[in-house]
Amino acid sequence: MKDTDTIDPADADCLDRLLTRRYSCRAFLPDPVPQETLERIVTMAQRTASWCNSQAWQVVITRGAATERFRTALLAATDNGTHDSDIPFPREYRDVYLARRRECGFQLYDSVGIAKGDRAASARQGRENFRLFGAPHVAIISTPEPLGTYGAVDCGAYVANFMAHRNFKRSVESLESPTQPWVGSRCLPGWLGTGAWAVALSGFGPP
């Protein structure tokens, strides 16, 4: 390693703070993020490592009326039951993975005052995912279908860095589980390129 490549301990401390302070935001202010901030975040996230440097992600960021059109499309998809995923859902959660998933879900519902077992309230809150919790922006991350799992994994790495850089810019925060592809390309006509998988949807803005 060259002397100029030596990692400053302060850099590691900064990264630790960024990862530690990420949290699940369940309501956003409508204020848009400045364009300069958006460009800075995307430029930093673009440095994500990828398989054979393929940089397999395509990113669309909405604002204003475009966010509202996208929000409407998501709500329509969930209301008519067409929000199927391009990537298969996990076949089964077992053991510690199931325990972690349950603990996370209980904590999230508890944070918004929903009692365990209240299925009606849980369903209403679940619908908020498709309303993007009122976020003024959404980042739509997709990959060409021929790249398959390799492209999806690269997109996951990109999303992680995108989230970290958003937290670095104090005006924005991340949604819970942005890497879950719970909406497929079939219900997003016009938003993705031909033959693309929708890998992640992430609403963001000032909390």
Side-chain angles (χ1 to χ4, degrees):
M1 179 181 289
K2 299 178 182 178
D3 290 341
T4 54
D5 294 333
T6 301
I7 301 298
D8 189 325
D11 294 334
D13 291 340
C14 179
L15 177 60
D16 180 65
R17 288 195 300 273
L18 292 175
L19 297 178
T20 300
R21 78 181 190 186
R22 193 189 77 81
Y23 67 96
S24 297
C25 185
R26 283 299 184 263
F28 292 90
L29 296 174
D31 308 328
V33 177
Q35 183 65 25
E36 180 182 357
T37 300
L38 293 176
E39 292 176 358
R40 176 64 171 159
I41 293 169
V42 171
T43 297
M44 295 171 72
Q46 188 62 30
R47 300 191 181 102
T48 300
S50 61
W51 177 260
C52 296
N53 195 35
S54 59
Q55 302 175 46
W57 47 82
Q58 294 292 321
V59 183
V60 174
I61 296 178
T62 68
R63 68 185 312 147
T67 300
E68 294 310 312
R69 290 198 305 272
F70 191 82
R71 200 187 324 270
T72 298
L74 287 186
L75 288 171
T78 190
D79 288 343
N80 62 30
T82 60
H83 59 282
D84 55 331
S85 173
D86 292 323
I87 301 172
F89 285 94
R91 187 178 69 254
E92 182 181 6
Y93 286 92
R94 297 178 179 176
D95 305 323
V96 67
Y97 311 108
L98 177 60
R100 290 169 180 164
R101 185 171 188 247
R102 285 175 172 170
E103 180 182 15
C104 177
F106 292 149
Q107 289 176 347
L108 288 173
Y109 287 128
D110 183 66
S111 71
V112 292
I114 297 176
K116 184 178 179 180
D118 189 340
R119 296 188 179 278
S122 297
R124 288 194 298 271
Q125 182 62 25
R127 195 172 186 273
E128 284 295 292
N129 283 281
F130 298 88
R131 205 182 66 81
L132 305 169
F133 299 100
H137 303 280
V138 61
I140 309 163
I141 294 89
S142 63
T143 191
E145 180 275 332
L147 297 180
T149 302
Y150 285 76
V153 169
D154 284 346
C155 285
Y158 178 91
V159 170
N161 286 332
F162 187 84
M163 289 167 55
H165 294 140
R166 287 192 321 210
N167 285 333
F168 177 73
K169 309 301 288 186
R170 291 177 180 272
S171 60
V172 290
E173 297 289 346
S174 64
L175 276 182
E176 210 293 308
S177 27
T179 58
Q180 291 187 9
W182 33 259
V183 175
S185 57
R186 284 183 291 257
C187 68
L188 301 176
W191 293 95
L192 305 177
T194 302
W197 277 356
V199 177
L201 307 176
S202 179
F204 64 96

